[in-house]
Amino acid sequence: MGKRALITGITGQDGAYLAKLLLDKGYEVYGTYRRLSTPNFWRLEYLNIFDKVNLIPIDLSDHGSIVEALKISEPDEVYHLAAQSFVEASFETPVATGDITGLSTTRILEAIRQVCPEAKFYNAATSEMFGKTGLLNGGKPLNENDVFRPMSPYAAAKLYSYWISRIYREGYKIFAVNGILFNHESPLRGLEFVTRKIANEVAKIKLGLSKELRLGNLDAKRDWGYAPEYVESMWLMLQQEEPDDYVIATGEAHSVKEFVEKAFEIAGLNWEDYLRVDKRFMRPLDVPCLVGDFSKAEHMLGWRPRVKFDKLVEIMVKEEINRWSRWLRGEKFPWDAPNYPSENKIFTRALRM
Ligand code: NAP
Ligand code: F7E
């Protein structure tokens, strides 16, 4: 029989790609989602897996709902991806971010300890935990032994989730790993993150649907990789004999400005005609530079990035131009007509009564 996996946050970018990867590997996939006033399954529809995954409603602030999700899914592997993941928003809602992005990891680990202690656990840690170290070490690629100096409520919450995962690993012998993933992007990225925001606006400008692109800090440098490749590393981490923590990155840093220039170049436009700096998108603190050293992952997992910066920008801009062109021709998209999954794909606690 195939393995069973539970993915928290299956409606997000990584959750959707990971679900597809695991289905392709023969897993029975369960995913958690939260009830919203408008259903949010467009990424699963986009990847044609909407009716192939089993869905369980939970909220990360509700411990009981997490326990039920584990009892329903009986997982061999748990991938904990759900979080308030937007750094900018964490400055607006620091307490909620601490609860959802930080404390919820303890809720999940505690539920695993009680319900299925043999399950393997992946925690979505982040390069943001390094924060100022990325600057203080002069831009040298960061590895698993570098010091964490978080610069946002989001990063502080993730650092808590990183440590609580290690504590459950060492204290309760739970197979818990931390994937310290650097930024990874795709056409399924949330619209507010800088890469998709740029790609989307550039495409709209190209097609006469928008006139300008408004951004904040153009000097920040990030190590941007391709999300479908990064979810492979999550799976690889849970296939090892021993649990450990791994940096996943491309080893290259590029500035937001470079991303803008490349995106406009791909669209055949001059960026200086359209770019405006807007204070609204500046953060109280912003990590100046992050670049990662993936050599441990390469050595231990056999993982290395294939899509690098130029190709990534091209994939994203071309896909947005394609989407908006089709929209102009009157085509409908999953996000135009929000859908509910077929009833036999939703699992609630009532089914266990
Ligand atoms: P994402 O697209 O923002 O997805 C986040 C997921 O969490 C969504 O499914 C969201 O549900 C769910 N969620 C948020 N609040 C919730 C709550 N209160 N209860 C239940 N579910 C909730 O993020 P992503 O880019 O896929 O990233 C996946 C994980 O990796 C996150 O933990 C993120 O912090 C971390 N990470 C991401 C990156 C990156 O570059 N992408 C890098 C390092 C680490 P809705 O769809 O309903 O909003
Ligand atoms: O910002 C700058 C912004 O929001 C990147 C999350 O997945 O990766 C992500 O966090 C940079 C920052 O990603 C705008 O100030 C300029 O310096 O795309 P972002 P992030 O903050 O790096 C890490 C690894 C995660 O773990 C997170 O979950 O771009 N920037 N102008 C802007 N950023 C946004 N969003 N919007 C702008 O207008």
Side-chain angles (χ1 to χ4, degrees):
M1 222 174 68
K3 284 193 199 169
R4 298 159 71 95
L6 176 68
I7 302 172
T8 70
I10 198 166
T11 55
Q13 170 188 260
D14 291 5
Y17 281 123
L18 179 64
K20 173 144 180 41
L21 179 86
L22 296 179
L23 286 168
D24 290 346
K25 289 186 183 294
Y27 279 65
E28 193 171 330
V29 176
Y30 289 78
T32 73
Y33 72 102
R34 57 178 167 163
R35 190 245 156 213
L36 299 171
S37 62
T38 308
N40 176 28
F41 299 113
W42 70 271
R43 293 183 176 92
L44 300 177
E45 292 194 71
Y46 208 79
L47 297 178
N48 288 320
I49 55 170
F50 185 41
D51 282 326
K52 299 195 177 104
V53 295
N54 303 299
L55 295 165
I56 309 173
I58 71 160
D59 194 293
L60 286 179
S61 58
D62 188 313
H63 180 72
S65 71
I66 296 169
V67 169
E68 279 301 322
L70 291 172
K71 287 185 176 169
I72 290 167
S73 57
E74 299 178 23
D76 299 296
E77 296 170 8
V78 177
Y79 295 87
H80 175 39
L81 309 183
Q84 192 301 93
S85 73
F86 191 31
V87 174
E88 198 174 310
S90 79
F91 287 102
E92 309 296 333
T93 56
V95 177
T97 301
D99 184 43
I100 297 303
T101 303
L103 202 53
S104 291
T105 308
T106 310
R107 292 190 186 101
I108 298 198
L109 283 162
E110 194 49 22
I112 289 178
R113 191 180 70 77
Q114 289 165 10
V115 177
C116 51
E118 299 302 318
K120 293 182 169 182
F121 174 78
Y122 173 88
N123 181 47
T126 168
S127 53
E128 281 291 301
M129 300 185 309
F130 290 118
K132 202 173 256 177
T133 301
L135 181 71
L136 296 178
N137 76 350
K140 187 174 81 50
L142 298 154
N143 68 35
E144 295 78 3
N145 300 317
D146 278 302
V147 178
F148 298 124
R149 292 189 180 88
M151 292 177 72
S152 67
Y154 167 79
K158 280 289 186 186
L159 190 52
Y160 171 85
S161 86
Y162 165 92
W163 277 114
I164 203 72
S165 299
R166 290 190 61 151
I167 287 165
Y168 273 66
R169 173 163 90 209
E170 286 163 32
Y172 297 117
K173 307 297 172 222
I174 286 179
F175 191 110
V177 309
N178 282 295
I180 307 172
L181 272 52
F182 283 61
N183 300 51
H184 45 283
E185 319 293 316
S186 76
L188 298 190
R189 192 54 148 146
L191 259 180
E192 70 274 61
F193 296 94
V194 79
T195 56
R196 175 104 193 278
K197 179 176 172 179
I198 295 168
N200 183 54
E201 282 307 318
V202 167
K204 286 169 77 177
I205 292 169
K206 172 81 180 164
L207 297 170
L209 297 166
S210 179
K211 290 191 165 49
E212 60 184 19
L213 168 64
R214 290 185 168 267
L215 294 175
N217 179 9
L218 302 178
D219 298 325
K221 288 188 169 175
R222 291 290 183 275
D223 180 332
W224 281 296
Y226 187 41
E229 294 180 356
Y230 280 45
V231 301
E232 289 170 18
S233 77
M234 299 175 184
W235 177 77
L236 284 167
M237 286 178 216
L238 292 195
Q239 310 316 308
Q240 303 308 302
E241 290 289 317
E242 298 296 329
D244 205 344
D245 307 323
Y246 299 91
V247 161
I248 299 295
T250 72
E252 285 180 17
H254 296 272
S255 67
V256 172
K257 187 157 173 251
E258 281 175 75
F259 200 106
V260 169
E261 288 170 357
K262 192 77 205 160
F264 276 102
E265 182 191 315
I266 288 162
L269 300 167
N270 180 12
W271 65 272
E272 283 156 306
D273 296 338
Y274 304 99
L275 182 65
R276 309 280 175 271
V277 172
D278 189 328
K279 224 176 136 185
R280 276 178 301 180
F281 303 112
M282 302 279 188
R283 300 172 184 181
L285 271 179
D286 197 12
V287 180
C289 178
L290 286 173
V291 54
D293 171 357
F294 62 90
S295 47
K296 178 177 173 184
E298 184 170 33
H299 181 63
M300 303 294 291
L301 309 176
W303 182 92
R304 60 176 296 119
R306 300 183 292 276
V307 173
K308 294 294 190 73
F309 180 75
D310 284 5
K311 186 68 190 163
L312 176 70
V313 186
E314 186 187 325
I315 290 171
M316 292 185 72
V317 172
K318 286 192 170 165
E319 179 61 7
E320 295 301 334
I321 292 176
N322 173 35
R323 280 176 183 166
W324 283 109
S325 305
R326 286 161 60 196
W327 182 82
L328 280 171
R329 292 197 296 271
E331 235 180 272
K332 284 263 176 256
F333 288 94
W335 49 88
D336 291 327
N339 203 357
Y340 288 100
S342 52
E343 277 159 24
N344 64 355
K345 287 292 176 188
I346 296 186
F347 288 75
T348 66
R349 65 177 68 191
L351 288 176
R352 298 197 324 109
M353 284 173 176

